[in-house]
Amino acid sequence: MTLRPTVAIHTLGCKLNQAESEKLARELSLAGYGFAQGNAADIHILNTCSVTHIADRKSRHMVRILRSKNPQAFIIVTGCYAESAGQDLVDCGADWVVDNRYKMSLPDEITSKIKGLLNYKHKGDALSSTERVRSFIKIQDGCQNFCSYCIVPYVRPNVFSLDANEVIMEIREKVAAGYAEVVLTGTEIGAYIDKGLKLSGLVQRILEETDIKRLHLSSLQPQSVSPQLLGLWNDNRLSRHFHLALQSGSDSVLKRMRRKYNTAQYKKTVDRILDIMPDASITTDIIVGFPGESDAEFLESYNFCENTGFAAMHVFVYSARPGTLAAQMPGKVGEKLKKERSLQMLELAAHIADNFAGRFIGQTRDVLWENETGRGSGICTGLTDNYIRTYAKSGVNIIGKIMKARLIDWAEDVKGLPLRASTRGNHGELWGEVLR
Ligand code: SF4
């Protein structure tokens, strides 16, 4: 019997990339490909990101590493960086660069293109059931908003939404396969529309027509949080976490960024959510050092973040994306100043995360347990319904289950436990006790 080659998929960037990689893995698995860990695969697929110059660098670095560790392997690179800098990736060692729009045809293309190119040495494993905790489902793709700093409209220009019936079917399959949580992803999921059905209608149908235990919406634009959408949160299967990318808390910077809201409108959305769900976590993205950002504008942004009631902030240092409007703007902020502002924002982010999580010490919340922090450690980690990272010791297997936990202390204050894998520090993370 001829064995199919084994595949390893590596994903950089956003939840949309994760959703697409997950779908690719499923289709390759159905087509008979096995999966190999680490460097043992015959084919490596790298799904790249190009949101910042650091993402570009990571994408190139990853191709070089894959090539040096796998001289015989067939390396396929796709994703946003592949769309904008294909030749760079070939120079780094990629065998084949595939544009975003052909990404999802890869399973068919691989079968016809690489037949005979490889000696199929390995027999891989089917997808492991331990991965079946959270699944990312793509419901929408593309963006035409042209925020002035963003490369996405150039690399994902085709805007479309997936058929609602197909989304429901995919979620039912995930439920049948044992997944506890589904995350709806897209470039701009608030723009979802299928034959007149908007995002709120889709979410309502998913809640009514599937048995998914936890449903999570990825990043939303503040203007997409309609009263109809919020009205659905009386179903406690919807995760009480909203990621609303702010980007700047200064109105003049928002205007130069060409965002479609100002700080007053943004704050109104946050207040509307917190009025209904005071325990909801609202997280955001912030860019520091956007062209022309003055000291006063940075301070406005900082103060807005401090006073808006966030649960967590992801801080990004502005980097020019060639071809975008912002890359041509005057008033570049120097690297030293960008670094100082980033450190100040990061300090605020740590403080904000601790403030939010600290409110819940002593409470009992539902936690979806994801994995063990280290093999045999018996320490499991998961996220509460309002997305607080939680750790607990468990003598029995709780992975993939939603179980109540009493949140008893800061994760960092518990002595004698192995450190977690997280590289972003442990602010806002708690230690809990699983209740049975
Ligand atoms: S909404 Fe703006 S930031 Fe988001 S993908 Fe579209 S252009 Fe980029």
Side-chain angles (χ1 to χ4, degrees):
M1 182 179 72
T2 308
L3 293 178
R4 288 270 168 131
T6 53
V7 182
I9 301 182
H10 315 268
T11 309
L12 298 172
C14 62
K15 290 189 171 77
L16 179 57
N17 263 9
Q18 288 180 47
E20 289 173 342
S21 290
E22 210 181 280
K23 193 160 190 189
L24 277 177
R26 194 158 53 103
E27 288 179 9
L28 286 162
S29 186
L30 287 173
Y33 291 86
F35 284 80
Q37 298 296 325
N39 296 317
D42 301 305
I43 302 168
H44 289 263
I45 301 174
L46 174 62
N47 197 356
T48 60
C49 171
S50 184
V51 74
T52 60
H53 76 290
I54 293 173
D56 289 355
R57 198 193 300 150
K58 265 193 198 160
S59 302
R60 291 192 301 269
H61 180 68
M62 189 94 180
V63 177
R64 281 195 208 99
I65 299 239
L66 286 173
R67 174 49 72 221
S68 72
K69 293 197 169 164
N70 309 280
Q72 306 300 325
F74 193 77
I75 296 175
I76 302 169
V77 186
T78 184
C80 291
Y81 189 54
E83 186 90 30
S84 63
Q87 189 54 48
D88 288 2
L89 291 163
V90 171
D91 295 345
C92 293
D95 291 302
W96 190 23
V97 177
V98 176
D99 284 359
N100 258 335
R101 73 203 116 123
Y102 302 120
K103 187 194 283 183
M104 299 320 293
S105 329
L106 268 174
D108 290 341
E109 296 292 325
I110 287 174
T111 305
S112 54
K113 183 167 176 109
I114 66 160
K115 222 174 190 174
L117 283 179
L118 297 154
N119 285 323
Y120 301 158
K121 307 179 285 294
H122 309 293
K123 184 172 185 336
D125 301 323
L127 286 177
S128 148
S129 63
T130 57
E131 294 163 8
R132 292 176 182 169
V133 174
R134 174 175 298 120
S135 179
F136 296 88
I137 306 255
K138 172 168 147 179
I139 62 166
Q140 183 275 345
D141 200 347
C143 180
Q144 287 281 315
N145 283 332
F146 290 94
C147 298
S148 63
Y149 53 85
C150 184
I151 193 75
V152 170
Y154 303 91
V155 293
R156 289 185 184 264
N158 302 321
V159 179
F160 64 90
S161 298
L162 275 85
D163 185 295
N165 292 329
E166 280 176 27
V167 174
I168 305 267
M169 248 162 50
E170 198 175 344
I171 294 176
R172 285 186 182 146
E173 281 168 23
K174 298 290 179 187
V175 172
Y179 286 90
E181 176 175 321
V182 152
V183 183
L184 303 183
T185 70
T187 316
E188 194 196 2
I189 63 168
Y192 180 88
I193 186 141
D194 174 44
K195 301 179 219 55
L197 189 82
K198 293 188 178 167
L199 180 64
S200 55
L202 176 69
V203 172
Q204 186 168 5
R205 277 196 61 188
I206 294 169
L207 292 170
E208 285 170 1
E209 297 175 34
T210 77
D211 294 324
I212 192 69
K213 291 189 183 122
R214 186 183 277 184
L215 181 61
H216 184 217
L217 272 55
S218 66
S219 188
L220 287 165
Q221 299 261 15
Q223 62 272 25
S224 328
V225 184
S226 64
Q228 292 88 325
L229 186 64
L230 269 186
L232 300 171
W233 259 262
N234 55 16
D235 188 320
N236 62 15
R237 288 181 294 159
L238 272 166
S239 121
R240 296 160 95 82
H241 169 231
F242 296 79
H243 187 78
L244 307 175
L246 172 65
Q247 311 302 12
S248 172
S250 156
D251 282 333
S252 40
V253 175
L254 284 176
K255 210 164 182 184
R256 296 204 294 282
M257 287 177 163
R258 297 181 140 215
R259 298 292 280 176
K260 291 191 162 51
Y261 53 82
N262 58 30
T263 51
Q265 289 161 331
Y266 184 97
K267 182 75 167 63
K268 209 167 153 193
T269 302
V270 171
D271 290 346
R272 197 187 289 154
I273 297 169
L274 294 179
D275 276 352
I276 302 172
M277 286 171 267
D279 58 348
S281 74
I282 298 178
T283 59
T284 200
D285 298 331
I286 283 289
I287 297 173
V288 297
F290 187 76
E293 185 187 61
S294 65
D295 287 346
E297 286 172 332
F298 173 72
L299 193 62
E300 273 171 17
S301 191
Y302 183 96
N303 289 339
F304 186 82
C305 293
E306 192 174 27
N307 297 313
T308 297
F310 290 129
M313 286 166 39
H314 306 287
V315 179
F316 296 89
V317 175
Y318 172 77
S319 67
R321 305 284 65 215
T324 60
L325 266 178
Q328 312 299 323
M329 285 182 184
K332 304 273 175 288
V333 178
E335 291 307 314
K336 190 162 165 269
L337 189 53
K338 282 203 266 191
K339 192 159 185 195
E340 279 168 25
R341 289 179 182 170
S342 155
L343 288 174
Q344 281 183 58
M345 273 297 188
L346 284 168
E347 210 171 294
L348 177 63
H351 178 67
I352 276 172
D354 284 346
N355 261 354
F356 178 75
R359 285 171 42 201
F360 297 93
I361 293 179
Q363 288 196 14
T364 295
R365 312 274 324 183
D366 284 329
V367 177
L368 170 56
W369 298 100
E370 295 164 9
N371 52 48
E372 205 177 11
T373 53
R375 194 180 283 252
S377 72
I379 297 171
C380 298
T381 181
L383 289 168
T384 62
D385 55 333
N386 60 349
Y387 263 50
I388 298 172
R389 171 67 50 200
T390 304
Y391 297 82
K393 200 152 182 101
S394 175
V396 294
N397 185 8
I398 54 174
I399 304 307
K401 296 187 181 137
I402 296 178
M403 296 183 72
K404 291 204 181 299
R406 189 178 305 123
L407 307 176
I408 49 181
D409 206 346
W410 296 104
E412 62 185 352
D413 283 347
V414 181
K415 305 278 186 260
L417 295 169
L419 282 177
R420 299 177 303 290
S422 166
T423 52
R424 63 182 179 84
N426 52 9
H427 289 281
E429 299 185 345
L430 298 180
W431 181 255
E433 178 191 9
V434 184
L435 304 178
R436 296 198 172 80

